[in-house]
């Protein structure tokens, strides 16, 4: 099923009280503010690391790449959760996912400078869990492959 | 074999041209500047995330936790590499490791505010590869467990 890319990103639908994530919270002025959207059956986000997000000079820091996999994974998990329930991301109750496990394989050094393309694909939606595979493309090559096991945010973690 | 904690951290021995890592480079003024040292057969580092390194409010961002596992892992790998060769970290040639694979399991939410204790243990040293298990303690509990597969930096990645 083909979907049009929406103007709003998955993360734009997060409720205010859980929109402070350093990686993807629209209310975190110091953070990455990752924006993920559907692109057909895959999800996609773009981010250009800052010059100081370096590993060794010329290449992107692995922790930044892990962060992009992480937040693109939880964002895609949220979108997949709504989709599995047959409702839109502006409907109630809100679905917000956190990471239970993160695996990242660095296939080749990721060049620093150009925008990175972060892509995702839903592997599994089961109860409160969503598994997303994600990968990062730079310079026309897949440099990083990862997987995120995301679970719905426990109510105890919401401080509202 | 018991080792005394040295004044210099593993990362302080990295050559200048590979000391710009956002996570552990002493020459990256914007970065975390993680400092890892031996503590007996384990390695240890401490870091207090900034208030904006948040996941949902009150808890540490998972990408930051992955970054700490990552850089403590590669630092410990370097120290283990020198140790396996029976020489000190100020001897030549320098050993510098990068991450090939990173696995992180978030066991419980990590509270934001207090210093985090990052610990590591060498699982394997084989050729150019070192495997390090690492974990993060906050509030007296292990909140995160991970593993880093580190490999010696390819010469092609050094831009000297």
């Amino acid at each position: 099923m083909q979907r049009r890319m929406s103007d709003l990103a998955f993360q734009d639908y997060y409720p205010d009280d859980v929109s402070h994530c350093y990686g993807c919270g629209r209310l975190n002025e110091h953070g990455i503010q990752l924006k993920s959207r559907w692109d057909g059956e895959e999800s996609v986000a773009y981010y250009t690391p800052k010059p100081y997000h370096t590993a060794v000079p010329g290449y992107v820091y692995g922790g930044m790449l892990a962060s992009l996999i992480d937040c693109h994974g939880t964002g895609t998990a949220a979108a997949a959760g709504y989709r599995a329930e047959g409702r839109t991301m502006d409907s109630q109750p809100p679905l917000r996912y956190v990471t239970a496990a993160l695996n990242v394989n660095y296939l080749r050094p990721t060049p620093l400078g150009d925008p990175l393309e972060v892509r995702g694909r839903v592997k599994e939606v089961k109860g409160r869990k969503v598994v997303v595979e994600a990968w990062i493309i730079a310079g026309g090559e897949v440099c990083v492959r990862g997987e995120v096991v995301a679970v719905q945010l426990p109510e105890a973690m919401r401080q509202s």
Side-chain angles (χ1 to χ4, degrees), chain A:
Chain A
M1 183 173 56
Q2 196 71 18
R3 280 184 175 72
R4 280 190 313 118
M5 285 180 68
S6 155
D7 285 344
L8 284 183
F10 303 157
Q11 293 87 358
D12 292 326
Y13 292 102
Y14 292 171
D16 284 356
D17 69 322
V18 288
S19 283
H20 296 82
C21 174
Y22 183 78
C24 57
R26 69 179 184 284
L27 303 179
N28 191 325
E29 61 182 310
H30 301 281
I32 298 168
Q33 300 202 354
L34 193 70
K35 302 290 186 190
S36 307
R37 294 174 169 87
W38 289 120
D39 180 23
E41 276 306 294
E42 295 180 358
S43 58
V44 65
Y46 298 93
Y47 182 71
T48 304
K50 307 290 183 213
Y52 52 79
H53 288 141
T54 181
V56 298
Y59 300 102
V60 181
Y61 172 49
M64 166 56 69
L65 298 166
S67 298
L68 295 175
I69 295 280
D70 183 9
C71 279
H72 187 63
T74 51
T76 301
Y82 285 97
R83 192 176 64 173
E85 295 185 4
R87 58 191 180 93
T88 56
M89 291 190 77
D90 57 357
S91 62
Q92 296 294 323
L95 295 177
R96 179 78 163 84
Y97 288 74
V98 291
T99 308
L102 172 67
N103 295 334
V104 185
N105 290 292
Y106 301 93
L107 308 179
R108 52 174 58 82
T110 302
L112 179 65
D114 291 334
L116 303 178
E117 182 176 341
V118 191
R119 301 196 73 88
R121 189 184 292 130
V122 179
K123 287 181 72 176
E124 184 185 352
V125 181
K126 189 174 182 183
R128 298 174 66 86
K129 186 178 84 170
V130 179
V131 181
V132 177
E133 57 181 330
W135 59 100
I136 297 175
I137 301 168
E141 290 192 299
V142 176
C143 298
V144 181
R145 284 193 183 277
E147 185 177 279
V148 175
V149 178
V151 294
Q152 275 185 44
L153 180 69
E155 273 306 307
M157 281 183 74
R158 292 186 72 158
Q159 302 180 327
S160 54

